[in-house]
Amino acid sequence: MSDQANRFLGDSIGRTLIKLIVVSLIVGFVMTVFGLTPWSIIDGVRDFILEIWHRGFSALGRVGDYLILGATIVIPLFVILRLFSYRR
């Protein structure tokens, strides 16, 4: 049982708990600095979905624009990086 738990968690249970506590403290601090709460994040997601619904899905068109705009930079850089790593 312990072996399966270690395999699932990626480390021992104790070390995993310590890592989770440290990361939770850091994330909690950052969220406090930015004034975020779990409820504000949930409300933001809910408001985003309602806004898309009320605007008749026109907001999704902006996502497509962002996708195409970003792809004009990302795709050529990806190809160039792959070509340089292919030579090795």
Side-chain angles (χ1 to χ4, degrees):
M1 176 73 175
S2 179
D3 239 9
Q4 292 174 350
N6 288 349
R7 203 168 349 132
F8 175 74
L9 296 174
D11 207 346
S12 69
I13 294 173
R15 288 177 55 99
T16 302
L17 284 175
I18 291 172
K19 290 176 188 179
L20 288 173
I21 290 170
V22 170
V23 171
S24 295
L25 283 171
I26 293 169
V27 169
F29 176 76
V30 170
M31 286 177 66
T32 301
V33 167
F34 289 110
L36 295 173
T37 64
W39 289 114
S40 68
I41 294 171
I42 291 170
D43 288 341
V45 170
R46 182 185 56 91
D47 292 343
F48 175 73
I49 292 170
L50 287 175
E51 187 71 22
I52 288 174
W53 183 263
H54 291 304
R55 289 184 182 252
F57 296 97
S58 66
L60 290 176
R62 283 185 275 152
V63 171
D65 292 342
Y66 296 152
L67 179 68
I68 292 171
L69 185 62
T72 59
I73 301 297
V74 171
I75 301 295
L77 285 175
F78 173 76
V79 170
I80 290 170
L81 289 172
R82 294 300 296 169
L83 287 173
F84 282 130
S85 68
Y86 181 71
R87 290 183 180 173
R88 291 182 185 180

